Each structure stands twice: as C-alpha cells, then as structure tokens.
Amino acid sequence: METLSKICRIRELLEPEKRAGRRVGLVPTMGALHEGHRALIRACRQKSDVAVVSIFVNPTQFGPSEDYARYPRALEKDLELCRAEGVDLVFAPEAQEMYPKGFATRVRVEGLSEKLCGAFRPGHFDGVATVVLKLFEIVSPDFALFGEKDFQQFVILQRMVKDLNLPVTLEALETVREKDGLALSSRNAYLTPQERHLATGILLALQAGRACFEHGTKDPDVLVALVRKTLLESGIETLDYVTLIEPETLETPIQAYPGCRMMVAARVGRARLIDNVRL
Ligand code: PAF
C-alpha cells in the first residue's frame, strides 16, 4: 500500500492505471476510521482494480465554533485498517496541500445545501462539495462510495456530479450500526457512557416513525410529531431537526410514500448526531 500526501504524486501513480483501463474506486474520509468506513472500503475493493482511500480532516466544512481542532485523528490506526483491507493507495494530504495560500474557490450546490444540516451549519456543504470536487479532480475515480448516514451530503454530491457532468458514479451504502442500533460515526467518541446509552433512542424513534407509516399513516406532520415525541421521551431533548423528506429534493412530501426518509439531527452531550431511515 502506498501512502501519499502530494497531489502530483497521486496523479503520477494513477495516470498509468487509468490509461491501462483499470477501474479506480475512491472512498473519501476524514479518518478516525470505523466499521462503517471498513464496509465502504470492502465494497470499493470488490468493485475496483485500484482502491483509493483519502484521509483528510477538511477545515472548510467546519464552522468557526465547531469541532475541527478536536475532531478525532488516528492516522497510524487508519493506515493499519486500510492495509488490512487491501487498499492500494491512501491519499493523506496536509491542509496546505489542499488549500495553499491564496485559495479562493468555493463550490455551492444551491437550494440543497441550505436545508436541514445546512441551516444549522452554514457553509458546511460548500466545504464538502469543494473538497470532494478537488478529490475527484486529483484521483479521477470511476466511482466513489459514501455512507447513507450522511444522506443530505450524498444528495448534494449527486447533484454536483450531475450538474457539472463529472465522469464519476456515486454510490451510497447502508448505514452501519452498533449492535444496539447507534449509527457509527467518528463523533460517537465524544459521548460519555451515559450519553452513549441515551443516543440509542435516535434509531428507536426513527423506527417508531417507520412503523407508524407501515401501519397506514401518511401524514408527514403526524409521523414527524411521533418521532419528535419519542425522542423527547427517551431523554434526547436538543433537536436540531426532525423531518420527513423526498430523497431528491429534500423537501417534505404532501404524503409519505415508500422511499421517503425520516431524518433526525440531535445534540447529545458534546456530540451532534445525525441519522435517518428509509420509509
Ligand atoms: O463524510 C465525510 O467524511 C466528509 O464529509 C467527506 C465526504 C470525506 C468530505 O470531507
């Protein structure tokens, strides 16, 4: 496995692979890799001739009062996991390499980026779109894999790929969960044991909403109210949002239908946790 930090070296290494018609897959990450990332890496390995993982805690997607400085970093452990999973190439640049002095470009996917998490984290998705577009330009992957936990991120990136005619296919993999249902996230590391227990209430509330839909309730307001009530009753009191959305527009449908997503963003202790289920 090669670990590289320079953009020119990545290009040098990947150009002959692309010319030879080998299929390049990319798993973009911010490191602190967990089983969710492992699932993405395994899927990437299976579908590609050359599996690339990027590890970069991207400063432009963090707001000034957010957790950029304390975001978990574990490069050596991450490299071990990548090696064990048969990754061919890890791209782990410094911030200076990605954003040299004078860097002035931002990519914004308008309309989708201001909703849901975007309303609570202004500029967050501009940072995500910008760094992912850069990664696509650097690696030129045939496909890239993301987790469904970050559903809004995936919808935004799909829109970007379509709008800019990027020659890459995006795929989202189902959320990987702990045994008790908590969605895996690098930010779970912020939870105390008590908060960790509380956080299991998120999936239970989402499942209550889905069960209600399966029993015939189609009114989004009723479904959302049930999820909200279940969250509050479980002791999760700080909710950024609970909402039902259509998967492409992120708008609330008039009536719930199979394929809609129930979305939650909640604060538990110092952690901001997001999760969603498909109805
Ligand atoms: O989902 C993430 O880990 C990040 O938002 C991504 C896609 C790697 C961009 O920094």
Side-chain angles (χ1 to χ4, degrees):
M1 184 180 83
E2 293 266 8
T3 305
L4 301 173
S5 60
K6 297 288 176 223
I7 293 168
C8 59
R9 285 287 295 128
I10 286 276
R11 287 198 167 130
E12 261 170 36
L13 238 106
L14 287 174
E15 259 164 31
E17 303 284 355
K18 297 284 295 177
R19 262 203 311 276
R22 285 159 66 81
R23 196 166 155 74
V24 176
L26 172 66
V27 180
T29 81
M30 297 210 297
L33 302 181
H34 51 61
E35 291 305 307
H37 295 113
R38 195 192 294 276
L40 295 175
I41 291 170
R42 283 190 179 164
C44 179
R45 181 62 290 166
Q46 265 182 5
K47 293 163 188 275
S48 66
D49 300 307
V50 183
V52 182
V53 173
S54 63
I55 298 177
F56 178 59
V57 185
N58 172 36
T60 65
Q61 68 189 75
F62 290 81
S65 59
E66 291 186 353
D67 55 346
Y68 175 66
R70 68 187 169 101
Y71 193 85
R73 288 162 172 85
L75 187 60
E76 281 316 309
K77 240 176 112 204
D78 291 347
L79 294 178
E80 252 173 58
L81 185 150
C82 289
R83 212 169 282 121
E85 292 302 330
V87 169
D88 297 295
L89 216 156
V90 171
F91 176 49
E94 295 292 333
Q96 268 296 100
E97 180 72 3
M98 292 297 273
Y99 301 112
K101 198 165 177 286
F103 186 90
T105 303
R106 283 283 178 283
V107 180
R108 168 167 300 168
V109 179
E110 286 183 345
L112 298 174
S113 297
E114 301 80 13
K115 297 182 163 93
L116 304 171
C117 285
F120 295 86
R121 306 184 67 190
H124 166 67
F125 289 114
D126 300 353
V128 171
T130 304
V131 81
V132 172
L133 181 59
K134 278 179 71 83
L135 290 169
F136 287 171
E137 286 299 313
I138 293 163
V139 175
S140 299
D142 295 284
F143 68 91
L145 296 169
F146 299 86
E148 269 189 356
K149 182 179 74 67
D150 299 297
F151 190 76
Q152 182 177 12
Q153 167 173 282
F154 186 69
V155 173
I156 288 169
L157 293 175
Q158 268 188 315
R159 186 76 253 167
M160 176 183 83
V161 163
K162 209 169 178 181
D163 289 354
L164 301 181
N165 308 101
L166 303 178
V168 58
T169 307
L170 305 193
E171 214 182 297
L173 259 60
E174 216 174 289
T175 302
V176 178
R177 300 180 180 281
E178 302 278 7
K179 277 200 184 72
D180 61 10
L182 180 65
L184 291 185
S185 161
S186 307
R187 289 191 167 97
N188 292 351
Y190 300 154
L191 298 169
T192 64
Q194 201 192 351
E195 291 162 355
R196 166 71 190 73
H197 178 68
L198 207 64
T200 58
I202 296 177
L203 180 65
L204 294 177
L206 287 167
Q207 284 171 333
R210 183 163 57 195
C212 186
F213 168 72
E214 284 165 357
H215 282 95
T217 304
K218 302 277 183 290
D219 184 338
D221 290 344
V222 174
L223 294 169
V224 164
L226 173 69
V227 175
R228 187 174 276 278
K229 181 169 164 281
T230 313
L231 282 163
L232 294 175
E233 281 172 359
S234 74
I236 299 173
E237 286 167 352
T238 315
L239 303 176
D240 279 1
Y241 60 78
V242 179
T243 187
L244 185 76
I245 55 133
E246 297 189 301
E248 277 190 17
T249 61
L250 304 178
E251 295 285 350
T252 301
I254 294 166
Q255 283 223 311
Y257 59 86
C260 288
R261 293 221 167 221
M262 187 63 83
M263 316 273 288
V264 167
R267 314 247 171 190
V268 181
R270 289 192 310 161
R272 183 178 187 278
L273 304 177
I274 56 172
D275 201 351
N276 67 85
V277 296
R278 187 180 188 277
L279 296 193

